[in-house]
Amino acid sequence: MPHPLAVRWGDHLRRDRRRSPHTVRAYVATAERLLAFLADHHGQAVDVALLRTIGAADLRAFLARRRNENIGNASAARELSAVRGFLAFVGVEAPRLKGPRVKRGVPRPISPDEALALADTVAEEAHQPWIGTRDWAVLLLLYGAGLRVGEAMALTGAVLPIGEAMAVTGKRDKTRIVPILPQVREAIEAYVAACPWPIERDGPLFLGARGGPLSAALVRRAVRKARAGLGLGDRTTPHALRHSFATHLLGRGADLRALQELLGHASLSSTQIYTAVDAAHLLDVYRNAHPRA
């Protein structure tokens, strides 16, 4: 049976913090794991009064148990962050505990030719022509406008007809305006014309084979299949198209603040990772082209 404190925590994240369903599930699961561990550790039911007595040793023991379940540094760091948030929510100051060091990975962009080849291959392998037209439009939108795959799936028929820009709702219900390239607009218009199902103003823009909402999992699966045939690496995912969008804009001189707005990042620090991406790309060019490299 769910612990009442974890249920309240989930309601708060969903209603007040406007966190995504995935985030709510993950954070509530962490709270449930912590509460179950403490109940076992202390041999009694856990309430706010008991939570106020826990120290750094309790949290270390909790993380040690999670480590025994084979979670890595990144997962352990997320777990500790969720624990701190939960304790703050119930009015308990979390004991000071240094989290595991996590090496921040640099996104791996793909070249424009690879992005188009990927979209083209996914479209070619579709079972029906209109589905191929749809998949081409989806992937071109991710690469051409820098959308997250979930943002593309959340678009409704209200964006039609497509203009020079589009309102996109991202994380925490934050809306941003993204420019739409003519090629992207034409791809979406071709899909709308070919789709055998009616696209309602308040319904999803991208539909599945049976007329329901298109699943992001299906897009990811199609990309996995296509990248194998093209010899692209495992990091070539729908999200990699967003990375490529950002990296290529930055490489062409885009302002970091403008890029932050286009990507819908809450803070500039999230966008600054792309400066590392661009530096890595330049280093690759140098190594491949310089006679002394």
Side-chain angles (χ1 to χ4, degrees):
M1 184 176 179
H3 195 289
L5 291 176
V7 172
R8 284 173 46 201
W9 169 231
D11 290 342
H12 166 70
L13 291 171
R14 191 179 301 106
R15 181 185 61 247
D16 303 326
R17 301 291 298 278
R18 295 184 178 181
R19 293 300 182 94
S20 70
H22 174 76
T23 299
V24 172
R25 283 194 301 271
Y27 278 35
V28 168
T30 294
E32 291 282 9
R33 282 192 291 270
L34 175 68
L35 293 165
F37 169 80
L38 292 174
D40 180 59
H41 197 57
H42 290 273
Q44 64 182 87
V46 180
D47 55 15
V48 175
L50 188 145
L51 288 174
R52 291 196 180 102
T53 70
I54 67 172
D58 294 290
L59 290 190
R60 285 195 200 95
F62 170 68
L63 290 177
R65 176 175 290 187
R66 293 290 288 133
R67 287 289 202 178
N68 288 335
E69 296 169 359
N70 296 320
I71 67 169
N73 279 1
S75 296
R78 286 194 296 269
E79 194 90 342
L80 182 58
S81 176
V83 164
R84 286 171 174 154
F86 169 65
L87 292 177
F89 167 72
V90 297
V92 175
E93 185 176 353
R96 292 194 174 186
L97 186 65
K98 192 173 182 180
R101 295 184 64 181
V102 180
K103 183 178 180 182
R104 195 173 188 187
V106 176
R108 297 287 181 86
I110 59 177
S111 71
D113 287 344
E114 288 172 335
L116 294 178
L118 182 69
D120 197 33
T121 302
V122 169
E124 284 181 356
E125 293 182 351
H127 297 303
Q128 299 179 49
W130 80 267
I131 291 179
T133 305
R134 178 203 67 194
D135 292 348
W136 170 259
V138 169
L139 296 182
L140 220 57
L141 183 61
L142 302 187
Y143 176 63
L147 270 64
R148 302 174 179 93
V149 66
E151 292 171 344
M153 298 302 97
L155 292 174
T156 68
V159 301
L160 300 175
I162 303 294
E164 294 184 349
M166 178 188 293
V168 176
T169 302
K171 290 185 176 181
R172 303 183 188 180
D173 290 337
K174 183 180 177 181
T175 300
R176 67 186 188 276
I177 303 299
V178 297
I180 301 298
L181 295 170
Q183 298 93 322
V184 176
R185 181 169 62 251
E186 290 166 9
I188 295 175
E189 288 171 349
Y191 151 68
V192 171
C195 183
W197 307 100
I199 299 174
E200 306 292 347
R201 181 175 176 79
D202 57 352
L205 172 63
F206 294 110
L207 301 175
R210 297 182 181 179
L214 177 61
S215 163
L218 288 178
V219 177
R220 295 188 182 99
R221 189 184 308 161
V223 167
R224 280 199 301 271
K225 183 179 178 183
R227 78 188 179 205
L230 292 170
L232 299 175
D234 291 345
R235 293 195 182 187
T236 305
T237 63
H239 204 68
L241 295 174
R242 173 174 159 89
H243 292 323
S244 300
F245 163 85
T247 306
H248 298 157
L249 282 184
L250 193 63
R252 293 295 185 102
D255 175 75
L256 204 57
R257 286 286 182 185
L259 188 57
Q260 177 189 356
E261 290 298 321
L262 287 172
L263 292 170
H265 284 159
S267 66
L268 190 61
S269 62
S270 298
T271 313
Q272 284 173 331
I273 190 172
Y274 290 102
T275 61
V277 172
D278 196 50
H281 172 68
L282 289 175
L283 187 57
D284 285 341
V285 171
Y286 171 83
R287 285 173 175 162
N288 290 332
H290 197 285
R292 293 285 194 176

